[in-house]
């Protein structure tokens, strides 16, 4: 089993699109000064800093201590905590929980929804974007073929990419009312000729479970080769086949 290991510098450098893509979600959240907002899966803390700059009282929570260390170093004075989405608690009710590109890493969606609800005041909002059904389907298919061919391993990707209907049903069952929800494709450019290889290395922890360490480099190389002849590689430019699920839900 190869766990995902986060490299905060790589995440902020070559994968800065994760943060940039969150701008529209911040607009949707529209945090007002003095609102209490919790960023679930805050990574290196850029959105926490942006929310704080707008006057919100923000807490950043992330399960990865390396990310939290990097967030604290980059944004001293802001409130960052190591916490698991399915188990975190806060001492004061929040006006909003925000989450960008993080919920699909959390494998207990009902427990996450329950913790978010517990963290919110009545009427508080849960504004999130995550990988939706069909997300990175071509990347997963190529990786599956490569892992089978090189290592005889059947991959079982660790992510949770629900349909809009499934996520809405979970939110409603968990005590939320859906105010708006969208599923959409967002082809995402990856930087440079090594863009796909870098992506596979950076995020592959959710993909490569079961691949022996010694076979991993070859599996990544073959995955990249297979994708070279697809619509994800056009005129030398790499694109990841992202599909997003975005929603605004309110604690009922
Ligand atoms: C995503 O944001 O959709 C994503 C990122 C890394 C791995 C899997 C999905």
């Amino acid at each position: 089993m190869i766990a995902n290991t986060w490299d905060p510098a790589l995440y902020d450098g070559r994968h800065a699109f994760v943060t940039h893509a969150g701008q529209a979600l911040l607009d949707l959240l529209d945090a007002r000064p003095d609102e209490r907002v919790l960023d679930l899966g805050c990574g290196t803390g850029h959105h926490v800093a942006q929310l704080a700059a707008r006057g919100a009282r923000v807490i950043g929570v992330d399960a990865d201590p390396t990310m939290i260390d990097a967030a604290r170093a980059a944004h001293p004075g802001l409130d960052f905590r190591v916490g698991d989405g399915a188990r975190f608690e806060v001492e004061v009710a929040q006006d909003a929980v925000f989450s960008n590109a993080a919920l699909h890493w959390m494998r207990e969606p009902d427990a996450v929804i329950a913790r978010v609800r517990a963290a919110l005041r009545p009427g508080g909002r849960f504004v999130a974007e995550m990988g939706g059904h069909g997300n990175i389907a071509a990347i997963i298919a190529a990786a599956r073929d490569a892992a089978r061919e090189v290592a005889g391993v059947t991959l079982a990707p660790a992510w949770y990419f629900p349909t809009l209907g499934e996520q809405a049903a979970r939110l409603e069952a968990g005590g939320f009312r859906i105010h708006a929800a969208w599923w959409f494709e967002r082809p995402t450019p990856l930087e440079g000729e090594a863009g796909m290889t870098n992506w596979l290395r950076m995020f592959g922890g959710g993909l490569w479970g079961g691949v022996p360490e010694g076979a991993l480099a070859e599996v990544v190389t073959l995955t990249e080769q297979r994708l070279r002849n697809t619509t994800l590689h056009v005129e030398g430019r790499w694109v990841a086949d992202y599909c997003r699920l975005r929603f605004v839900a309110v604690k009922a």
Side-chain angles (χ1 to χ4, degrees):
M1 170 77 187
I2 296 153
N4 206 73
T5 47
W6 292 102
D7 176 338
L10 192 60
Y11 181 86
D12 275 351
R14 296 207 190 97
H15 299 103
F17 61 79
V18 179
T19 302
H20 295 148
Q23 290 305 321
L25 195 65
L26 282 175
D27 291 344
L28 195 59
L29 173 67
D30 194 21
R32 290 178 292 279
D34 282 339
E35 274 201 311
R36 293 184 185 276
V37 181
L38 185 145
D39 180 354
L40 183 57
C42 66
T44 49
H46 294 292
H47 292 138
V48 171
Q50 282 174 273
L51 288 162
R54 291 174 72 143
R57 290 176 280 178
V58 200
I59 302 171
V61 173
D62 201 287
D64 191 304
T66 319
M67 287 296 204
I68 290 296
D69 284 347
R72 286 183 179 139
H75 310 290
L78 297 185
D79 185 350
F80 292 104
R81 306 175 186 185
V82 177
D84 173 345
R87 272 157 276 277
F88 77 97
E89 287 178 12
V90 278
E91 57 291 349
V92 180
Q94 304 290 301
D95 296 299
V97 171
F98 170 92
S99 183
N100 179 51
L103 295 179
H104 49 252
W105 292 96
M106 302 177 195
R107 296 305 308 274
E108 299 168 83
D110 295 324
V112 172
I113 288 168
R115 294 322 311 155
V116 170
R117 190 173 192 281
L120 286 169
R121 65 163 170 80
R125 53 207 197 280
F126 184 14
V127 178
E129 187 173 307
M130 64 190 294
H133 183 69
N135 196 37
I136 57 169
I139 296 176
I140 291 173
R144 278 209 165 107
D145 287 350
R148 201 174 301 117
E149 192 172 317
V150 172
V153 167
T154 302
L155 294 184
W159 301 295
Y160 164 62
F161 296 142
T163 64
L164 192 154
E166 177 184 358
Q167 187 67 8
R170 284 187 192 278
L171 286 162
E172 286 180 349
F176 284 89
R177 272 196 310 272
I178 314 293
H179 278 205
W182 301 261
W183 177 98
F184 54 96
E185 295 180 350
R186 188 175 60 216
T188 299
L190 304 178
E191 201 181 299
E193 186 46 37
M196 184 55 73
T197 298
N198 289 333
W199 190 96
L200 291 166
R201 290 203 185 122
M202 171 81 192
F203 295 120
L207 199 51
W208 308 128
V211 176
E213 297 265 3
L216 187 59
E218 198 182 338
V219 175
V220 169
T221 301
L222 186 57
T223 303
E224 202 242 33
Q225 273 171 18
R226 299 228 156 164
L227 290 168
R228 273 183 182 274
N229 301 321
T230 70
T231 53
L232 302 197
H233 190 240
V234 176
E235 294 174 4
R237 291 177 196 277
W238 285 106
V239 163
D241 53 337
Y242 278 20
C243 300
R244 303 283 92 183
L245 186 55
R246 187 183 285 174
F247 60 84
V248 178
V250 171
K251 178 171 171 174

